[in-house]
Amino acid sequence: MRRLFSLLLVALVVIGLVGCGPSRADEEESIRAKVDNTFAALQDTAEHDVTTYINEQVVEELATYGVDTNQFFAALLKNLSHTINEITIEDGTAQVAMTVSNVNTDEVMKATLEDFDAWTETDEAVTVYKENGEAGLYQKLFELFYARIDQMAGDAATADVTLNLQKLEDGTWNLAESGNEGFYAAVYGGATFKF
């Protein structure tokens, strides 16, 4: 069960940011708008298929467990919020200093696994396994996970992080190849994957 959670959370969503403009002020505003729009897209899986941003092999493996990747990310990111504090642009790079908050994912997963362990001792668990096998167990695991997110929504993990961007020759901005680990951890509610 822990491996499955880790697999889901390590499937980091790749965020593409586009920004261009003739002046520095226009560029800063473009970057700000794109970051805001990206966060909105992360939370709106009804309109944006997150599986297009995730390694296809990970999506396929998750499907073998009966996990709907879009449903998972919709639940995980629905409490995500951010505030842009400052944008610094210099020599083809940009740093977006922001505050990011989300439900404390490690605590949610820990509580879910405790709930699941307790549930496996019940008659209901025996019946579910007899009728649906492992698929039924995974379905119950994620029902408990989604319920815990709702119950623990007020237990937010908040972090001040920097999103590092790199300007391409065509004027678009993309995530820098390294240096954004803290940003991703904040998006996932400070997840350390040690639960």
Side-chain angles (χ1 to χ4, degrees):
M1 297 302 173
R2 286 173 173 79
R3 181 190 179 288
L4 179 56
F5 272 148
S6 295
L7 180 65
L8 279 163
L9 292 171
V10 172
L12 299 179
V13 177
V14 176
I15 300 170
L17 300 169
V18 180
C20 58
S23 73
R24 183 181 186 89
D26 287 345
E27 238 175 2
E28 286 185 17
E29 189 54 40
S30 180
I31 289 171
R32 182 179 299 275
K34 284 300 177 179
V35 170
D36 289 342
N37 290 339
T38 298
F39 271 82
L42 285 174
Q43 294 175 278
D44 187 5
T45 57
E47 293 293 326
H48 300 86
D49 182 3
V50 298
T51 62
T52 61
Y53 302 111
I54 299 172
N55 182 298
E56 189 175 325
Q57 291 176 326
V58 172
V59 174
E60 289 174 1
E61 186 167 352
L62 294 174
T64 65
Y65 293 106
V67 177
D68 182 315
T69 310
N70 279 309
Q71 183 183 12
F72 174 81
F73 280 102
L76 185 63
L77 301 177
K78 68 182 178 181
N79 297 300
L80 179 66
S81 65
H82 75 287
T83 303
I84 296 174
N85 302 318
E86 184 179 10
I87 298 174
T88 305
I89 302 171
E90 184 176 349
D91 297 329
T93 64
Q95 291 77 42
V96 182
M98 63 176 70
T99 303
V100 177
S101 181
N102 198 357
V103 64
N104 189 320
T105 304
D106 282 349
E107 292 301 314
V108 167
M109 288 186 292
K110 180 180 175 184
T112 299
L113 291 171
E114 290 171 357
D115 293 344
F116 184 78
D117 287 343
W119 177 79
T120 59
E121 301 296 323
T122 67
D123 291 339
E124 179 189 359
V126 174
T127 302
V128 167
Y129 185 72
K130 283 181 180 177
E131 293 178 357
N132 300 303
E134 285 189 2
L137 299 181
Y138 286 119
Q139 181 179 359
K140 183 62 177 185
L141 174 70
F142 280 89
E143 286 175 11
L144 293 170
F145 178 71
Y146 300 143
R148 274 293 179 179
I149 287 177
D150 291 337
Q151 292 167 8
M152 300 173 71
D155 183 21
T158 302
D160 292 321
V161 296
T162 299
L163 177 62
N164 295 291
L165 308 175
Q166 186 172 7
K167 190 172 187 178
L168 304 181
E169 290 182 8
D170 64 359
T172 60
W173 290 95
N174 283 341
L175 287 181
E177 292 182 9
S178 62
N180 286 316
E181 295 80 9
F183 168 75
Y184 280 122
V187 166
Y188 290 121
T192 63
F193 312 115
K194 298 174 182 176
F195 46 88

